[in-house]
Amino acid sequence: MLCCLDLNTIYLTFPIFSVSSVPRLWLCTFTLSVAVCAVLLLPMSILSNEVLLIFPHSYYMQWLNGSLIRGLWNLVFLFSNLSLVFLMPFAYFFTESEGFAGSKKGVMARVYEAVVLLLLLALLVLGMVWVASALLRDDMARKSFYDLWEYYLPYLYSGISFLGVLLLLLCTPFGLSRMFSVTGSLLVKPRLLENIEETLSCTSFEEDSLSRKLNFGSLSRHHHESFVLIRFFHSEMRKKASPWQRNLVYPLAMLLLLALTVMCVLMVCFNVLELLLDDTAMPRGMEDPHLGMASFSMFGSLGAAVQAVLILYLMVSSLVGFYSSPLFTSLLPRAQDTNLTQIIANCVSLLILSSALPVFSRTLGITRFDLLGDFGRYNWLGNFYIVFLYNMLFAGLTSASLIKTVTWAVQRELIRAFGTRGESCPQPNGTFKHTL
């Protein structure tokens, strides 16, 4: 799809960017494509195994084999690290560079400065990896830089993956709890004993009250417009919704989210018990996936499909938690108000999260599909204490967030349902009108 885009199309899509920004947008597009492939890598591998089990002798499925899947894993691993180590840093340095002092200004001067900064960064990172590996293992200090690919890069990959897995540990439980409120904001909620006409009237009075505050300078115009638009949108959406949309879709969506979240917690708890009783529960790498031999779920194809859905659900929840976190909420892209630095930061963050998803899912026991290729070379995967503590933290944080969200949501909806008849609407003159 990228090859079909011309400069005019990209410029119209991002009107705040110049034509010189197009190569950086291509690098960001490539990075996002690798991130999408990393997300789909494990679910597609699981489903491919089930397809081969259902059609073991089909002529049309001969192309689907373990060699193909292993090659895809290695390519995703290679391109993800290439994007993180070279492409995205180069895009950032090129964005911030102006050319060396005394050199002729232009695009090539910025390219030279970005390349020099990238080389200096690469030397700095490799030096830090060499020092860290020498401190952790004495024999690593005797290795030369000719052993870069075999000894030093695995340590760098392990560090990046560990950072991504830790970020998923922090974002996913918070995102699982936020999924209820985010989904609820997109659907029409059923509210007992509520009069839609009175709600619209109340919104109109609130708009008049905010207009008076805006005229006196006690409220910003942006806050006023955003508040009015949101309230008016929700009120109009509820007014136009059919009865089955108000009373059936929202409860079913909440029950589905609750079932998926509880299923994740139960699978992690079961994995904790397996870690204590069976060594095979530890995540490890494998060279040949042996597709089509046996299902990776004890419930067969249905269980494998549920595993794929849960993996995608965890990824969506981690993104919701990431952008809802106070630390990263400033990275949330906004239409016509996102600069290239923010786009690059979003691409790097999404790639770190997505490339750590296979390790994250296997560590939590969501699937028994072992890691392929270089994904299974991470040094910390064989540490029982790290894996066990990681599972315990995830189960505890998710359970606490789920209990807090459900109890608060039920309490809030009960207050809205039985207390809305006594709500007060602000009048244009500053007084309040009771709707009781």
Side-chain angles (χ1 to χ4, degrees):
M1 294 178 61
L2 183 61
C3 298
C4 299
L5 296 177
D6 57 356
L7 299 182
N8 294 328
T9 303
I10 298 179
Y11 184 74
L12 291 175
T13 306
F14 303 96
I16 62 174
F17 301 139
S18 61
V19 176
S20 62
S21 302
V22 173
R24 284 166 285 175
L25 293 176
W26 285 350
L27 294 179
C28 293
T29 304
F30 176 78
T31 302
L32 288 179
S33 301
V34 175
V36 173
C37 292
V39 171
L40 299 177
L41 196 59
L42 190 55
M44 293 304 297
S45 300
I46 297 172
L47 296 179
S48 298
N49 179 71
E50 300 303 320
V51 169
L52 291 178
L53 284 175
I54 298 175
F55 306 102
H57 305 293
S58 175
Y59 173 78
Y60 300 100
M61 293 299 159
Q62 291 183 1
W63 59 272
L64 190 60
N65 50 46
S67 177
L68 173 64
I69 300 299
R70 184 174 63 252
L72 291 177
W73 279 67
N74 289 331
L75 286 177
V76 170
F77 182 86
L78 174 63
F79 289 140
S80 61
N81 287 281
L82 179 65
S83 299
L84 287 174
V85 178
F86 295 104
L87 299 184
M88 288 296 96
F90 174 79
Y92 174 76
F93 290 146
F94 184 75
T95 302
E96 301 295 331
S97 63
E98 297 179 355
F100 292 110
S103 62
K104 184 178 179 180
K105 300 300 181 181
V107 176
M108 293 307 301
R110 297 175 62 187
V111 171
Y112 292 150
E113 182 180 355
V115 171
V116 171
L117 291 175
L118 183 60
L119 292 177
L120 292 176
L121 177 64
L123 291 177
L124 176 62
V125 172
L126 289 177
M128 293 175 62
V129 171
W130 181 81
V131 172
S133 60
L135 292 176
L136 295 176
R137 292 178 57 183
D138 295 335
D139 59 329
M140 293 294 293
R142 295 189 293 268
K143 301 295 182 181
S144 64
F145 277 97
Y146 292 104
D147 302 308
L148 179 67
W149 184 266
E150 188 66 24
Y151 293 98
Y152 297 113
L153 288 183
Y155 275 86
L156 178 60
Y157 301 155
S158 298
I160 295 176
S161 69
F162 192 66
L163 174 63
V165 171
L166 286 180
L167 195 59
L168 286 173
L169 176 62
L170 297 177
C171 296
T172 306
F174 180 57
L176 288 173
S177 62
R178 285 281 301 164
M179 284 291 291
F180 293 91
S181 58
V182 171
T183 306
S185 64
L186 300 176
L187 299 176
V188 179
K189 297 181 182 180
R191 295 183 181 177
L192 301 175
L193 307 177
E194 183 181 28
N195 191 327
I196 304 300
E197 297 296 336
E198 290 182 357
T199 303
L200 290 173
S201 177
C202 190
T203 303
S204 177
F205 285 125
E206 288 179 355
E207 181 181 357
D208 294 336
S209 177
L210 290 174
S211 298
R212 290 175 56 84
K213 293 181 180 180
L214 180 64
N215 294 331
F216 285 107
S218 59
L219 190 68
S220 65
R221 182 175 298 273
H222 175 73
H223 183 272
H224 169 262
E225 292 177 357
S226 300
F227 181 82
V228 172
L229 288 176
I230 292 174
R231 290 297 302 267
F232 183 77
F233 172 75
H234 284 285
S235 300
E236 287 294 322
M237 186 173 60
R238 286 189 55 79
K239 187 177 181 180
K240 295 179 180 179
S242 60
W244 71 269
Q245 285 180 312
R246 290 197 299 267
N247 302 316
L248 184 62
V249 176
Y250 179 81
L252 289 179
M254 293 297 108
L255 288 176
L256 179 60
L257 292 179
L258 182 62
L260 292 175
T261 306
V262 171
M263 210 177 307
C264 290
V265 175
L266 291 178
M267 293 181 71
V268 173
C269 293
F270 183 73
N271 186 57
V272 170
L273 295 178
E274 282 193 321
L275 288 173
L276 296 174
L277 302 176
D278 191 2
D279 292 337
T280 60
M282 288 287 295
R284 62 181 186 275
M286 62 177 176
E287 293 298 328
D288 192 355
H290 298 291
L291 296 181
M293 302 294 293
S295 178
F296 291 102
S297 173
M298 64 179 66
F299 299 103
S301 299
L302 179 61
V306 172
Q307 289 179 2
V309 172
L310 289 179
I311 292 171
L312 297 177
Y313 175 64
L314 289 176
M315 185 62 198
V316 174
S317 301
S318 66
L319 293 180
V320 172
F322 178 80
Y323 286 112
S324 301
S325 174
L327 296 177
F328 307 106
T329 186
S330 60
L331 292 178
L332 184 64
R334 294 175 176 84
Q336 306 297 326
D337 192 24
T338 305
N339 54 38
L340 266 174
T341 303
Q342 288 179 309
I343 293 178
I344 294 172
N346 277 277
C347 292
V348 172
S349 303
L350 293 177
L351 184 57
I352 290 177
L353 291 174
S354 59
S355 60
L357 182 64
V359 183
F360 173 75
S361 303
R362 181 61 184 91
T363 303
L364 294 179
I366 303 299
T367 180
R368 284 290 178 262
F369 192 94
D370 286 318
L371 304 172
L372 290 176
D374 293 321
F375 280 93
R377 298 178 61 188
Y378 299 141
N379 299 324
W380 56 271
L381 286 176
N383 193 313
F384 170 79
Y385 298 102
I386 293 179
V387 175
F388 181 78
L389 181 61
Y390 190 89
N391 280 262
M392 292 295 295
L393 287 175
F394 180 85
L397 292 175
T398 305
S399 300
S401 301
L402 182 62
I403 293 173
K404 179 180 178 181
T405 301
V406 171
T407 54
W408 282 21
V410 171
Q411 181 182 4
R412 183 172 60 252
E413 291 302 323
L414 288 176
I415 293 176
R416 286 179 178 177
F418 297 102
T420 188
R421 304 297 295 179
E423 287 182 346
S424 299
C425 295
Q427 297 293 305
N429 57 4
T431 60
F432 289 87
K433 173 188 175 181
H434 291 276
T435 60
L436 183 62

